[in-house]
Amino acid sequence: MADAFVLDYVRTPRGKGSSRGSLAGVRPLDLVVRLQRALVERTGLDPERVEDVIIGSASQVDDQGGNLARTATLLAGWGDHVPGGAVNRFCASGIDAVAQVSARIRAGELQLAVAGGVESVSRVPMFADRAPLWTDAEVIRQVGSVHMGIAADLNATLEGYTREQLDAYGVETQRKAAEAWERGAYAGSVVPVELPDGTLFDRDELVRPDTTAEGLAALPPAFAELGAQGQDAIALAAHPEAGRIEHLHTVGTSPSLADGAALLLLGDAAAAEAAGLRPRARVVACATAAVDPVLMLTAGQAAVERAIARAGLTPADIDVFEFAEAFAALCLTFRRDLDAGPDRLNPNGGTIAMGHAFGATGAIMVGGCVDELERREGRYGVAAVSGAAGLGVAVVLERVSEKGAA
C-alpha cells in the first residue's frame, strides 16, 4: 500500500458570511479557480498530472450546484481530461474530500489529486438546499433533527458548563487568532482574492481582537428563541435527562458564518518526485464517525479517538489538534477528554474567531495542522470536524522533515 502525502496547501481569507462580507460579490466557483491557479503558480505543478479534483460543500445548490469541482477545473485551464467531483458530508465535507482522496492514493487508484472545499454562505445560505432534514416535519420528528445551536446548548447543559466557562473559551480563541495573524502564521498559505472593485482581500475579516469576557457576558443567548419555538421539545424528547436546556451559547461562543475555500495537493512518493515536490506530511489514518443526531456535535471527537487508535497512537502522542470549533462547549469537552491544553488545541485560533465556511473548514483544518506541525517541528497532528446529523471526520498526519518522517 502506498503512502499518501500532503504536498501543498492553499486557502482564501475568510469573509463574513453575509451580504456585507468582503467575498459576497465573488462566486464560490471563482474562489476555487483562484486556488487551483495558485497551486500551479506556487509549485510549478503540471495540471496534466492531476488525476482528480474532489471538492466538498454543504449546500450544493445554486452557485454551489452542478458539480462545482468539474466546472472550476475547466475554468482554471487544467484541461478537459482532469475529472472533478463533489462531496457532501455537511460541515465535514472538506475534510472528507481529503480523507477520500488519501484513501484512493493509498489504495493505488490515484497518484496525484486535489482535495478541498468551498462555501459561500453569503450567496448560498445555510439550509438553502431545503432538504427533508430541515423542512419535512415528519422526517424531523422521526430523526430528531434540531438546529446545531440547540445541540450545542444541550451538550453544554448535560456537561454542566457555565456561561463563564464558555465565554472564557470565546475570548481565548479570539486572542489566539489575532496573535497568529500578527505574527504571520497564515502568511504562507493564504492566497489573496481580487474583489470586483479591484482591491485585494488578504485577511480573515471576522477576527475580533478586542473581545473581552465582559463584552461576551453582555451578549444574549443566541438560540433561546429557537428553543422556545419547539426545538427544545425535540431535543428533550431524545434526552429527557437534561430536564431543561440552558441556553448558554451566544454569537461570541458560536462559529461565525463565513465564505471561503481551501485546497490541498495530495500524492504518493512517486508523484511527488515526478513533480519535483517535497512531501510536507504523511496521512497516517482517517476515520469517520456517527453519533446521536440530536447530540450531534460529539461526532468530531469520536472520529478523532477512532483515527488516533487506528494509527496506533494515543492522545499524548499528538502535538497539534485542529478541531473545528462547533461551539465552545464541544471544545471544552474535547480539551478535557483528550487532555489537549490550549497550546495543543487550536493554537492559532479557530472557527469561532475566524469563521466557519462549512465545506471549506475541514480542508482548512488539515492544512492548518500541517502548517503548525512545521512551525513547531512537531511529529503528529490531528484535524477533525463535526457535522450536522451527528457526522464527524478526522485525519491523522505525520510531519515529513527534510530527511523523512519527523
Side-chain angles (χ1 to χ4, degrees):
M1 183 172 67
D3 281 324
F5 297 99
V6 175
L7 306 181
D8 201 14
Y9 156 64
V10 289
R11 74 166 175 94
T12 69
R14 282 169 280 195
K16 295 178 182 177
S18 76
S19 59
R20 300 183 301 277
S22 292
L23 292 178
V26 183
R27 298 179 302 176
L29 186 64
D30 295 324
L31 296 178
V32 176
V33 169
R34 175 71 186 98
L35 293 183
Q36 286 185 265
R37 290 175 175 165
L39 282 176
V40 174
E41 294 164 6
R42 286 162 59 98
T43 66
L45 173 70
D46 179 359
E48 290 189 4
R49 294 182 180 273
V50 177
E51 297 171 289
D52 212 346
V53 176
I54 305 297
I55 304 295
S57 59
S59 297
Q60 296 186 12
V61 295
D62 301 328
D63 275 352
Q64 288 169 185
N67 190 357
L68 182 147
R70 172 61 171 163
T71 308
T73 297
L74 292 169
L75 291 177
W78 281 21
D80 297 345
H81 70 287
V82 180
V87 170
N88 186 350
R89 207 184 284 270
F90 301 131
C91 296
S93 297
I95 194 169
D96 198 52
V98 174
Q100 288 193 29
V101 168
S102 297
R104 292 169 66 190
I105 291 171
R106 295 171 74 185
E109 179 187 338
L110 297 173
Q111 282 195 296
L112 187 67
V114 170
V118 64
E119 205 79 35
S120 177
V121 182
S122 63
R123 301 176 71 93
V124 186
M126 186 164 53
F127 311 130
D129 57 2
R130 297 195 55 75
L133 191 62
W134 330 128
T135 62
D136 188 310
E138 184 58 19
V139 171
I140 292 170
R141 184 191 68 79
Q142 291 185 38
V143 173
S145 176
V146 294
H147 188 280
M148 297 76 174
I150 299 297
D153 283 341
L154 173 61
N155 275 278
T157 300
L158 291 172
E159 293 288 353
Y161 296 132
T162 66
R163 172 69 182 267
E164 290 74 21
Q165 287 175 299
L166 303 184
D167 287 352
Y169 187 88
V171 172
E172 177 188 307
T173 190
Q174 290 286 351
R175 174 185 57 77
K176 287 178 175 178
E179 290 175 354
W181 270 104
E182 287 308 309
R183 68 172 182 270
Y186 295 109
S189 299
V190 171
V191 175
V193 176
E194 184 174 353
L195 302 180
D197 64 3
T199 60
L200 282 182
F201 177 57
D202 62 1
R203 188 182 177 102
D204 294 329
E205 67 180 339
L206 284 155
V207 181
R208 299 182 296 277
D210 57 349
T211 299
T212 63
E214 293 75 18
L216 292 190
L219 296 173
F223 307 106
E225 186 176 343
L226 266 179
Q229 293 171 359
Q231 292 270 304
D232 279 3
I234 296 173
L236 290 171
H239 289 276
E241 70 274 19
R244 65 187 298 272
I245 296 177
E246 298 290 339
H247 290 289
L248 301 174
H249 286 91
T250 68
V251 294
T253 50
S254 304
S256 304
L257 302 184
D259 301 338
L263 296 179
L264 292 100
L265 180 64
L266 303 166
D268 63 15
E273 184 177 3
L277 298 173
R278 184 182 68 81
R280 297 178 61 188
R282 180 174 69 95
V283 178
V284 180
C286 304
T288 57
V291 299
D292 171 356
V294 178
L295 280 176
M296 189 188 308
L297 301 168
T298 61
Q301 180 174 325
V304 167
E305 292 168 353
R306 183 173 297 175
I308 290 175
R310 187 169 290 170
L313 303 172
T314 70
D317 296 315
I318 307 303
D319 297 293
V320 180
F321 292 96
E322 287 288 341
F323 183 59
E325 292 173 343
F327 306 89
L330 284 305
C331 299
L332 295 180
T333 300
F334 188 102
R335 175 177 292 174
R336 180 198 67 203
D337 292 351
L338 281 77
D339 192 24
D343 61 321
R344 292 198 297 154
L345 176 61
N346 298 337
N348 298 303
T351 48
I352 289 175
M354 289 177 288
H356 183 21
F358 308 138
T361 290
I364 293 172
M365 296 290 101
V366 176
C369 189
V370 174
D371 282 349
E372 183 60 22
L373 283 173
E374 291 179 339
R375 189 173 298 115
R376 63 175 61 190
E377 297 186 350
R379 181 169 185 179
Y380 292 112
V382 178
V385 183
S386 297
L391 297 174
V393 180
V395 174
V396 179
L397 301 155
E398 181 183 24
R399 179 178 66 89
V400 177
S401 69
E402 295 286 349
K403 298 179 181 180

